[in-house]
């Protein structure tokens, strides 16, 4: 318990490091609620990142935000940040429906872009954004959809335990308690591309895509409960979807922004097929087969708490007749707050137990800009496939894909 308290405390108040002379200067578009968690706090412990400027639609809001978070400059508009040659990188925590326009503007201004998830309103926009001609060439700006949980060691370790070709079934759920959002939030505004599949479901959908190692062929069902009135109409506050993947297996995803009072960690459970496990100690007429049930608890915010549960069911049987000789089960649990703790192929990678997924993400973003190796990345193809899956589910639900921006 003391370790947990210390880790979470330090995650929110990380050690302030001295900034390098050539640190990248970030500008933030909007005084958004997520900006402290996603960028401002992680930047404190990164020697190559300075959060230099912020703009809001209302200057006084940006001034108050800058004062609270120690941001040295306030600009009059989002565009003023893009026009500043002193700014290297743009963080976009705007409503989903504005991601496309401001990411395109930022890329055209030659800036590196850290873009909040989901990357765009729909796959059509994602196709255009991630294929912008400005993004190719050796000095092209870096564009990253801020899929933060995928950068945490716990996700990397979990994914490394799963061979997509062995996956039989996946089930994943996430929730936000009812009191943490309100109907007036951007999450429930259709014109701003709101909806639970956009806000939370995207994590669950990504888990299915990544662990199956492919996009789904079909959304078999998607039952969504959505508001019906005014600007909120067609914004789902909870959903349950099932998808069919190329190996014939089914993945189930569900989420709610109207969950119970107590926050429960998001999770994903993978069930594998029976596979033969090589064991040289066995007599030649025997074989060992194993099926597994692996769960990552705490899939989205690993820094608070997570646990990987692995139940392996073994059968020792006669090779030709399949007559069972013995059955047994082994249960193990693992955690990985750092890559060192994940061990194996990850052991040498940087990180501290108090690093949030956002801090691991920032490390990768900076390394990519500096043309260094990165352990995890979300490339354009991946982000486009993600939006295709979201569109597929929205179409199946009857609510329809989120609306496209008229900006070009
Ligand atoms: N990575 C994560 O863990 C999380 C990511 N997110 C993502 O971050 C983004 C922002 O979410 P969140 O911080 O919760 O949202 P907020 O509503 O707190 O912030 C959105 C920002 O967008 C600006 N904005 C510009 N135009 C509009 C408009 N027409 N209506 C409303 N706001 C506008 C607001 O601006 P201004 O300050 O200029 O007035 C506001 O600061 C979303 O894409 C969401 O999916 C959200 C939560 C968690
Ligand atoms: O990414 C997210 O995580 C936390 C939630 O409150 C939010 O709705 C979502 O966008």
């Amino acid at each position: 318990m003391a370790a947990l308290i210390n880790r979470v405390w330090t995650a929110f108040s990380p050690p302030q490091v001295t900034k390098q002379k050539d640190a990248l200067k970030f500008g933030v578009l909007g005084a958004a609620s997520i900006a402290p968690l996603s960028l401002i706090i992680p930047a404190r412990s990164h020697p190559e990142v300075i959060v230099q400027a912020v703009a809001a639609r209302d200057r006084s809001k940006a001034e108050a935000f800058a004062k609270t978070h120690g941001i040295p400059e306030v600009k009059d508009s989002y565009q003023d940040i893009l026009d500043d040659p002193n700014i290297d990188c743009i963080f976009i925590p705007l409503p989903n429906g504005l991601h496309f326009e401001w990411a395109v503007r930022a890329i055209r201004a030659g800036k590196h872009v850290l873009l909040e998830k989901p990357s765009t309103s729909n796959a059509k926009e994602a196709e255009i954004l991630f294929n912008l001609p400005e993004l190719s060439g050796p000095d092209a700006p870096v564009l990253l959809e801020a899929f933060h949980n995928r950068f945490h060691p716990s996700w990397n370790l979990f994914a490394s335990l799963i061979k997509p070709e062995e996956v039989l079934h996946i089930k994943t759920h996430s929730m936000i308690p009812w009191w943490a959002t309100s109907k007036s939030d951007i999450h429930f505004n259709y014109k701003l591309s709101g909806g639970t599949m956009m806000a939370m479901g995207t994590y669950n959908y990504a888990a299915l895509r990544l662990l199956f190692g492919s996009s789904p062929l079909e959304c078999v069902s998607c039952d969504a409960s959505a508001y019906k009135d005014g600007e909120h109409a067609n914004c789902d506050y909870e959903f349950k979807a099932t998808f069919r993947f190329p190996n014939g297996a089914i993945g189930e995803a569900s989420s709610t922004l109207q969950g119970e009072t107590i926050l429960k960690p998001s999770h994903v459970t993978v069930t594998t097929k029976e596979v033969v496990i090589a064991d040289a100690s066995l007599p030649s007429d025997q074989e060992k087969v194993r099926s597994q049930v692996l769960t990552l608890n705490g899939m989205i915010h690993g820094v608070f708490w997570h646990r990987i549960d692995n139940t392996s069911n073994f059968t020792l049987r006669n090779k030709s007749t399949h007559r069972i000789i013995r059955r047994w089960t082994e249960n193990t649990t693992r955690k990985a707050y750092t890559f060192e703790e994940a061990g194996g192929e990850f052991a040498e990678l940087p990180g501290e137990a108090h690093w949030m997924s956002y801090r691991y993400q920032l490390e990768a973003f900076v390394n990519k800009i500096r043309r260094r190796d990165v352990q995890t990345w979300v490339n354009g193809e991946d982000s486009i496939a993600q939006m295709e899956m979201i569109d597929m589910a929205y179409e199946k639900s009857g609510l329809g894909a989120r609306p496209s921006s008229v900006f070009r």
Side-chain angles (χ1 to χ4, degrees):
M1 185 50 104
L4 184 149
I5 293 169
N6 182 44
R7 186 176 63 246
V8 175
W9 176 266
T10 319
F12 283 94
S13 341
Q16 186 98 36
V17 298
T18 307
K19 304 294 176 176
Q20 290 179 12
K21 274 210 178 76
D22 65 347
L24 295 162
K25 294 203 170 81
F26 280 63
V28 181
L29 307 190
S33 329
I34 192 59
L37 211 59
S38 254
L39 177 68
I40 298 167
I41 295 171
R44 286 190 202 143
S45 67
H46 201 308
E48 293 178 87
V49 175
I50 293 172
V51 181
Q52 180 67 25
V54 62
R57 289 169 299 172
D58 168 355
R59 188 179 167 95
S60 63
K61 185 181 170 197
E63 280 168 356
F65 189 85
K67 196 170 167 204
T68 304
H69 298 290
I71 300 174
E73 277 185 73
V74 171
K75 302 276 188 189
D76 284 332
S77 68
Y78 302 159
Q79 188 61 44
D80 282 357
I81 292 196
L82 303 192
D83 292 342
D84 184 346
N86 193 36
I87 297 290
D88 306 293
C89 308
I90 305 295
F91 176 51
I92 305 182
L94 295 172
N96 307 329
L98 297 175
H99 287 186
F100 173 78
E101 171 175 349
W102 287 97
V104 172
R105 286 182 188 273
I107 296 291
R108 287 186 182 150
K111 310 295 187 189
H112 304 292
V113 175
L114 182 60
L115 176 60
E116 262 309 336
K117 38 64 52 186
S119 62
T120 53
S121 293
N122 53 48
K124 232 185 261 168
E125 286 188 352
E127 282 276 356
I128 301 172
L129 172 61
F130 290 97
N131 288 307
L132 283 177
E134 290 84 351
L135 289 173
S136 48
D139 297 323
V142 168
L143 169 61
L144 175 65
E145 178 183 7
F147 234 122
H148 61 101
N149 68 320
R150 293 169 56 174
F151 293 81
H152 196 268
S154 53
W155 172 266
N156 281 273
L157 173 60
F158 184 70
S160 76
L161 300 176
I162 287 148
K163 294 196 180 85
E165 65 278 12
E166 292 178 4
V167 175
L168 200 59
H169 184 262
I170 305 180
K171 189 169 182 168
T172 173
H173 178 70
S174 61
M175 65 85 82
I176 296 289
W178 59 269
W179 48 262
T181 56
S182 94
K183 197 172 167 182
S184 59
D185 284 353
I186 59 166
H187 297 308
F188 301 120
N189 183 313
Y190 181 72
K191 274 201 199 137
L192 298 178
S193 298
T196 298
M197 288 189 241
M198 301 289 278
M200 292 298 286
T202 191
Y203 294 110
N204 304 101
Y205 290 174
L208 297 184
R209 262 193 333 106
L210 297 170
L211 299 170
F212 272 116
S214 66
S215 285
L217 293 176
E218 182 195 4
C219 179
V220 181
S221 67
C222 184
D223 300 321
S225 304
Y227 292 115
K228 295 193 167 48
D229 55 316
E231 64 185 13
H232 315 294
N234 294 324
C235 286
D236 45 314
Y237 51 84
E238 63 186 23
F239 73 89
K240 186 173 180 189
T242 57
F243 298 88
R244 186 171 56 84
F245 283 83
N247 67 353
I250 294 290
E252 296 178 61
S254 56
S255 185
T256 178
L257 285 177
Q258 293 286 306
E260 299 157 23
T261 305
I262 309 282
L263 177 73
K264 295 213 177 100
S266 48
H267 50 89
V268 54
T269 296
V270 178
T271 307
T272 73
K273 301 176 198 162
E274 280 199 327
V275 288
V276 176
I277 306 294
D279 187 340
S281 70
L282 294 178
S284 61
D285 63 338
Q286 290 181 9
E287 65 182 7
K288 185 157 89 180
V289 294
R290 183 193 66 192
S291 68
Q292 290 178 297
V293 180
L294 297 120
T295 299
L296 172 60
N297 301 283
M299 179 183 82
I300 299 178
H301 292 294
V303 70
F304 298 124
W305 174 84
H306 65 265
R307 193 183 66 215
I308 296 171
D309 296 331
N310 182 349
T311 298
S312 295
N313 299 305
F314 291 96
T315 304
L316 189 62
R317 67 188 185 193
N318 180 284
K319 231 182 220 171
S320 48
T321 65
H322 284 191
R323 186 182 60 81
I324 294 167
I325 300 161
R326 187 159 82 89
R327 278 188 200 276
W328 73 102
T329 297
E330 290 174 10
N331 291 305
T332 57
T333 63
R334 291 190 66 181
K335 59 186 170 64
Y337 289 96
T338 60
F339 283 114
E340 188 185 1
E341 199 173 9
E345 60 181 296
F346 305 111
E348 303 300 320
L349 296 166
E352 303 284 339
H354 63 78
W355 279 19
M356 295 192 241
S357 47
Y358 309 101
R359 178 60 179 82
Y360 283 103
Q361 172 180 268
L362 191 59
E363 185 79 5
F365 185 63
V366 169
N367 284 342
K368 197 75 170 179
I369 292 169
R370 303 291 198 200
R371 310 298 188 220
R372 300 177 194 134
D373 289 342
V374 291
Q375 164 62 28
T376 306
W377 195 247
V378 182
N379 62 27
E381 207 183 320
D382 195 331
S383 290
I384 294 168
Q386 182 65 16
M387 292 317 303
E388 285 170 347
M389 187 169 178
I390 294 176
D391 284 1
M392 189 188 254
Y394 268 124
E395 293 301 350
K396 190 72 190 181
S397 73
L399 298 172
R402 307 296 88 176
S404 288
S405 166
V406 292
F407 177 82
R408 282 296 175 267

